[in-house]
Amino acid sequence: MNTSEDSYFGKIIILILLAIAAFYGFKTALPPRLFPDQVTSNSNIVMDSMMLEAVSDTTEMAIADTTEVAVRDTLNNNQTEAVDETLDPSIRAQGYNNLKHFYAKLHVLEQDKTGKVRVAYFGDSMNDGDYIVQDVRSEFQDNYGGQGVGFVAITSLSANARGSVSHQHSKTWTTQSFVKVKKPARPFGIDGQVFFAHGEGNWVKYRAQSQRHSTSLFRPTLFYGRSANNQAYVTIQSGKDSIVTKELNPTKLLNTLPVASTTKSLQVNFHKTDSIPIYGFNFDDGQGVHVDNYSMRGNSGLPLSILNVNLMNAFDDVLNYDLVVLHYGANVLGYGTLNYSWYEKNMTKVVENLRACFPNADILIISTADKATKIDGVMQTDPAVVPLANAQKNYARKTGAGFISLYSLMGGEGSMAKWVDEKNLAGKDYTHFNATGSKKVAKLIYDEIGKGFSKYKEEHLNE
């Protein structure tokens, strides 16, 4: 290599070093979240696999979206229905119209004291241990009747912490969850999990607690899936009654087995049930309002897009849902981005899948709560909260869903810091509510649903 070439490459190296130095110089002068050194983490938050993939694929997704839109517009030539950007999907505004089916069923129950209404409440760690959901359930059952805690899984990370029902299980169960696995051995159940009992020693216990409307295990019914196994059976002890044996008949995509009459406690042992997908138990009295908690730690909401439509239709044939609630946010914040268009797009697909899964149900979106982050030494609203809440409102608008801004109901800017430091309603992670705070949030949500119901009745009675 001659002297001129040495000089040329030397200049290139110097330019590269100057560029790197300039980048870091500008980085120190700009907001830190534009160039995060690493994804911020919280020991109380885990992330689902689809969420992680969606974040990492944001750039590729944007390029694909541009191509897809261009091709679609060329082929359809404006045949797609435009979304009215002025429409406010909040149920206290125009969004109550998006819950007409649910409100009509609730109105009949209110007027005639007949019929029943069922709600599927999907959420994340905010609802772990039945937090928020148990108090929403109690509010509805106080006013419209209904007894029972609803659907409960076979195992749960929060089984020991749940106050609405005592839940114990053997450690021998194999669990597959849609926050970790995309292709399960058998389709995921309605809560995004499927359980398998291999060999012997597999059992589950439930005991009713003192929470109002859940003081008994009403009409316990086992839900399980299809298998060629024709040797399986369960042994059941209800309260102090003698042990009863019942065979499983796993011939349908979804099978149900009433295991006992209403009781205070229940233990079910599973025998020779290898290869049979087990989903959980339902406890309800068959009248009034029932609210099922399908929350899961680490769930961003995106895994709901892979629920099997045929199996969900089978669940819906039995449980008959009138409203599906999507309450997410805690696992979506903290990625060093203020652009949530990727989340808006993917959650739009989630709603489309849920409408296929539960065709008679209305959809209600509950936004992220406020979350506080230390900025300049002071706990303030995380900069990502408002952009995420706006994205959630946007996909509610696009999908014809109702919307509740939990962020606004809490008090908006700076509210989480106040809920923690002044009101003692949330934990020191400035993300999750404590028991008292969860009860308050449940009342805020229930009252907001009630405001939409009042608007519905005003319109309905004037027709």
Side-chain angles (χ1 to χ4, degrees):
M1 185 178 289
N2 58 37
T3 305
S4 62
E5 289 177 331
D6 289 342
S7 176
Y8 173 76
F9 284 108
K11 289 178 181 178
I12 292 296
I13 292 172
I14 291 172
L15 285 173
I16 292 172
L17 292 174
L18 287 173
I20 293 172
F23 170 78
Y24 279 102
F26 281 118
K27 180 181 175 183
T28 58
L30 290 171
R33 289 177 67 92
L34 287 178
F35 302 104
D37 294 317
Q38 60 184 15
V39 173
T40 56
S41 63
N42 186 310
S43 59
N44 291 326
I45 294 177
V46 293
M47 292 79 175
D48 64 65
S49 58
M50 293 188 68
M51 169 74 182
L52 295 173
E53 289 180 12
V55 174
S56 64
D57 293 344
T58 300
T59 302
E60 294 179 15
M61 189 183 303
I63 295 171
D65 286 349
T66 302
T67 305
E68 179 185 343
V69 169
V71 172
R72 186 183 65 232
D73 288 347
T74 301
L75 294 175
N76 295 341
N77 193 21
N78 297 325
Q79 291 180 11
T80 55
E81 183 178 350
V83 176
D84 184 357
E85 296 296 334
T86 66
L87 186 145
D88 185 351
S90 303
I91 57 177
R92 62 164 56 189
Q94 298 155 289
Y96 75 93
N97 286 305
N98 296 333
L99 303 187
K100 280 188 174 181
H101 168 79
F102 168 68
Y103 284 146
K105 292 285 293 288
L106 202 60
H107 190 214
V108 170
L109 191 57
E110 180 183 55
Q111 294 295 308
D112 302 337
K113 311 300 181 186
T114 59
K116 53 186 177 181
V117 173
R118 197 165 197 116
V119 179
Y121 200 117
F122 292 93
D124 53 26
S125 54
M126 285 287 188
N127 313 117
D128 201 33
D130 216 16
Y131 271 21
I132 299 177
V133 182
Q134 62 187 1
D135 295 304
V136 170
R137 181 186 305 117
S138 293
E139 290 285 350
F140 271 114
Q141 293 180 338
D142 282 346
N143 291 284
Y144 301 98
Q147 302 284 332
V149 72
F151 192 93
V152 184
I154 294 296
T155 74
S156 170
L157 292 174
S158 60
N160 294 331
R162 184 164 179 167
S164 53
V165 61
S166 173
H167 180 193
Q168 297 175 287
H169 54 81
S170 62
K171 296 180 180 180
T172 52
W173 290 95
T174 297
T175 304
Q176 290 188 319
S177 160
F178 66 5
V179 300
K180 296 181 179 179
V181 177
K182 277 189 176 181
K183 297 180 180 180
R186 298 295 171 87
F188 295 119
I190 193 169
D191 66 342
Q193 300 181 100
V194 57
F195 306 92
F196 297 94
H198 299 293
E200 294 298 308
N202 303 281
W203 54 267
V204 63
K205 296 180 182 179
Y206 304 99
R207 180 179 293 277
Q209 300 296 83
S210 59
Q211 191 173 82
R212 64 187 191 275
H213 309 299
S214 297
T215 54
S216 292
L217 302 176
F218 294 89
R219 306 189 309 167
T221 302
L222 172 66
F223 285 66
Y224 62 101
R226 177 184 288 152
S227 172
N229 182 348
N230 59 7
Q231 297 181 324
Y233 65 97
V234 291
T235 53
I236 306 148
Q237 182 159 24
S238 172
K240 296 181 180 180
D241 294 345
S242 301
I243 294 175
V244 175
T245 299
K246 292 191 176 185
E247 294 182 354
L248 298 186
N249 186 26
T251 57
K252 300 178 183 178
L253 183 61
L254 180 68
N255 307 276
T256 60
L257 176 68
V259 296
S261 56
T262 297
T263 182
K264 292 289 185 180
S265 63
L266 178 73
Q267 176 167 342
V268 180
N269 290 65
F270 293 76
H271 306 275
K272 299 182 179 180
T273 52
D274 299 60
S275 80
I276 298 179
I278 310 295
Y279 294 120
F281 287 83
N282 180 55
F283 306 102
D284 73 57
D285 68 345
Q287 55 190 339
V289 179
H290 298 284
V291 182
D292 298 318
N293 184 356
Y294 297 131
S295 65
M296 189 177 299
R297 295 179 192 176
N299 190 1
S300 66
L302 300 185
L304 294 171
S305 65
I306 62 174
L307 286 178
N308 181 283
V309 172
N310 291 332
L311 180 56
M312 293 307 104
N313 289 165
F315 270 100
D316 197 36
D317 287 342
V318 178
L319 299 173
N320 300 301
Y321 285 104
D322 302 295
L323 180 67
V324 171
V325 178
L326 303 181
H327 185 174
Y328 294 104
N331 298 286
V332 191
L333 296 167
Y335 280 87
T337 179
L338 304 182
N339 181 357
Y340 284 98
S341 58
W342 58 271
Y343 187 69
E344 179 182 324
K345 176 183 182 295
N346 281 278
M347 287 302 291
T348 298
K349 293 179 180 179
V350 165
V351 173
E352 291 172 354
N353 190 55
L354 290 174
R355 289 199 188 283
C357 291
F358 311 107
N360 296 318
D362 294 325
I363 309 289
L364 173 62
I365 313 301
I366 299 177
S367 83
T368 180
D370 189 28
K371 173 186 176 181
T373 300
K374 185 172 287 188
I375 303 173
D376 297 329
V378 179
M379 297 304 294
Q380 303 177 41
T381 290
D382 189 292
V385 168
V386 173
L388 175 57
N390 288 339
Q392 292 171 314
K393 188 173 184 178
N394 285 340
Y395 86 75
R397 180 187 295 112
K398 290 179 180 179
T399 58
F403 178 73
I404 291 176
S405 174
L406 180 54
Y407 168 73
S408 297
L409 291 180
M410 287 179 63
E413 180 77 22
S415 55
M416 181 56 83
K418 293 178 181 177
W419 279 50
V420 175
D421 299 330
E422 299 176 13
K423 302 178 181 180
N424 193 29
L425 296 173
K428 287 296 183 179
D429 64 353
Y430 291 84
T431 301
H432 295 89
F433 304 104
N434 57 28
T436 305
S438 295
K439 189 180 291 291
K440 181 176 178 63
V441 168
K443 189 65 165 65
L444 290 172
I445 292 171
Y446 178 79
D447 288 347
E448 200 70 5
I449 293 173
K451 290 174 183 176
F453 189 32
S454 295
K455 291 178 73 69
Y456 165 82
K457 288 190 288 187
E458 287 174 10
E459 179 184 280
H460 179 77
L461 295 176
N462 290 329
E463 289 180 349

